[in-house]
Amino acid sequence: MRKKSLEIFFTVLTLILGILSALVISEVSLYLLVKTHNLHLLPTNLADSIYYNTRSVIQFEPDFAEYDKEVSYLLKKNARFTFANYEFPPTGYLVNRMGTRDTEEALIAPEIIFVGDSYTMGWGVNQAEAFPQMVSALTGKRTLNTGIAGFGTAREMLLLKRLITKETKQIVIQYCSNDFEENKKYINEGFSLKIMSEKEYRELSNKSRSYPGYLCKILFSHFLENVKVATKKPLPNPSDNKNLVAHNFLRILAHHRDLLIGRQISIIISPADKLLVEAINKELHAVIELQGIRFEIIDTSELIQPGDSYPLDKHYKPSGHRKIASLLTETLTKKQPTIK
């Protein structure tokens, strides 16, 4: 009896040790893939999960960003630094006194202001490679890049108020699908956005930089994420309703009509979304407050190819920015019709 019990004990122990060994080997392998920037060798679902939980997020890094009581955060003012992630090497940032990725000179009477999030800011490319700066080089006009990672249209308009000048003749507004939640809250709260406190921002920053780490936590964390997805009944995603997305976006622009009137407005969707372009074009004529403003909705759905974006990160590579800059230059240098 005692011999049989020992056999069972050692069998169970061997099984446990085997499982632990497999987990340790798997975890070490994942660690090496992360550190050598080879996440693309993993299944897409696992690679995305690890990447989005371990990447550096510029707006929550104390060396790169700082708290702002009106828009939650801005880039670190009057700073120069480099920012990198798995798929791109250190990219240079020069930040002006207003906390945007541009020079001090760009703040003086810009002719064209670019409004947007990380796609406009130039996440993953050097400063001169971001499309706002490239448009300046191509047109010879003074431009200002006000793109801030993570901003929705609501905060973009709040920031624009600080920066717009009477010499500004053109504004390029970049929209991203993840703007939807911020825009919806802004409208639901009567065109007022609750801005987090400095303490809340610090807590969010610390949380963003405290991924579970290793020692089998990568696999365990990924497993839990998939269990949550599998056990939760999927709810309809409001952002899938392109007409609603377009309606909310244009309502915010209408609320800030005073910033747009008398200027040429170009709207670009990044990442490209042809259905949303069509929805905005359709909704635009129904928003009375926007009548009389010159709009151009730019469709890049056939312009940007898979090779123009980072596979995991999804942001544009320099080639994507060059294509957008070229298309925008054509748009911004021709006379635009007025929506009547």
Side-chain angles (χ1 to χ4, degrees):
M1 184 73 176
R2 186 170 178 274
K3 183 178 180 181
K4 188 172 182 179
S5 296
L6 284 174
E7 287 178 355
I8 294 173
F9 171 76
F10 282 114
T11 300
V12 172
L13 180 62
T14 301
L15 180 62
I16 292 172
L17 290 175
I19 293 173
L20 289 176
S21 297
L23 285 172
V24 170
I25 292 171
S26 298
E27 196 72 15
V28 169
S29 299
L30 288 175
Y31 175 85
L32 293 174
L33 288 173
V34 170
K35 291 301 180 183
T36 57
H37 298 182
N38 283 305
L39 285 175
H40 62 279
L41 299 176
L42 296 171
T44 302
N45 180 262
L46 179 57
D48 284 346
S49 175
I50 293 174
Y51 176 73
Y52 281 99
N53 280 292
T54 60
R55 66 174 181 163
S56 176
V57 181
I58 195 168
Q59 62 265 38
F60 298 127
E61 294 286 346
D63 291 337
F64 307 148
E66 59 187 36
Y67 178 73
D68 184 273
K69 64 181 181 181
E70 294 180 358
V71 291
S72 297
Y73 56 80
L74 291 167
L75 295 178
K76 204 170 188 68
K77 297 171 185 174
N78 300 310
R80 188 187 294 268
F81 55 83
T82 59
F83 172 66
N85 259 316
Y86 297 120
E87 294 182 296
F88 56 86
T91 52
Y93 279 67
L94 176 63
V95 184
N96 55 41
R97 69 179 183 277
M98 298 301 291
T100 70
R101 192 186 187 186
D102 217 323
T103 63
E104 285 297 302
E105 292 75 17
L107 293 170
I108 304 171
E111 296 177 71
I112 309 172
I113 294 183
F114 291 83
V115 176
D117 55 22
S118 51
Y119 283 89
T120 297
M121 181 186 73
W123 178 293
V125 300
N126 284 303
Q127 191 142 324
E129 296 172 318
F131 68 77
Q133 276 82 357
M134 293 188 74
V135 168
S136 179
L138 290 169
T139 63
K141 295 184 178 183
R142 188 186 292 270
T143 67
L144 175 60
N145 184 349
T146 73
I148 300 289
F151 274 25
T153 314
R155 280 185 292 171
E156 290 162 8
M157 292 295 106
L158 295 177
L159 180 58
L160 180 61
K161 278 186 178 180
R162 300 186 193 179
L163 301 167
I164 202 166
T165 71
K166 63 181 180 180
E167 285 80 12
T168 302
K169 302 295 188 295
Q170 299 169 317
I171 299 174
V172 177
I173 302 172
Q174 173 254 316
Y175 182 90
C176 180
S177 58
N178 60 16
D179 293 355
F180 179 78
E181 287 300 323
E182 176 176 308
N183 291 354
K184 182 177 71 172
K185 288 179 182 178
Y186 184 62
I187 292 171
N188 290 345
E189 292 170 9
F191 295 99
S192 175
L193 198 62
K194 182 182 178 183
I195 299 300
M196 70 180 84
S197 67
E198 186 167 5
K199 180 182 178 182
E200 289 171 327
Y201 172 71
R202 300 297 174 205
E203 290 173 349
L204 191 57
S205 174
N206 291 334
K207 183 179 179 181
S208 172
R209 292 179 289 112
S210 60
Y211 182 67
Y214 300 97
L215 297 177
C216 299
K217 289 184 179 179
I218 288 180
L219 284 175
F220 184 67
S221 176
H222 178 68
F223 172 75
L224 287 180
E225 285 181 14
N226 280 276
V227 168
K228 288 178 183 178
V229 171
T231 55
K232 281 186 177 180
K233 183 179 179 180
L235 298 173
N237 186 351
S239 64
D240 289 338
N241 184 337
K242 304 299 180 184
N243 291 329
L244 177 61
V245 172
H247 180 71
N248 285 354
F249 171 59
L250 293 176
R251 281 187 68 190
I252 292 176
L253 297 191
H255 183 70
H256 294 280
R257 185 177 187 275
D258 59 315
L259 300 178
L260 311 180
I261 191 72
R263 299 181 169 97
Q264 177 184 325
I265 311 301
S266 298
I267 296 173
I268 184 168
I269 313 300
S270 300
D273 187 334
K274 190 174 185 63
L275 292 177
L276 183 54
V277 169
E278 293 172 355
I280 291 175
N281 266 315
K282 180 181 176 182
E283 285 283 328
L284 190 57
H285 294 271
V287 183
I288 297 174
E289 296 90 341
L290 295 178
Q291 303 307 304
I293 299 177
R294 294 176 293 166
F295 279 94
E296 176 80 2
I297 319 298
I298 301 171
D299 183 6
T300 62
S301 57
E302 296 182 6
L303 180 71
I304 301 298
Q305 301 302 311
D308 295 320
S309 302
Y310 294 107
L312 289 172
D313 199 277
K314 308 301 187 292
H315 284 87
Y316 297 147
K317 296 178 180 178
S319 61
H321 281 267
R322 282 196 298 271
K323 289 181 178 181
I324 289 175
S326 178
L327 181 59
L328 281 173
T329 297
E330 292 178 18
T331 302
L332 296 171
T333 53
K334 69 179 181 180
K335 188 175 181 180
Q336 299 301 321
T338 298
I339 298 297
K340 296 180 179 180

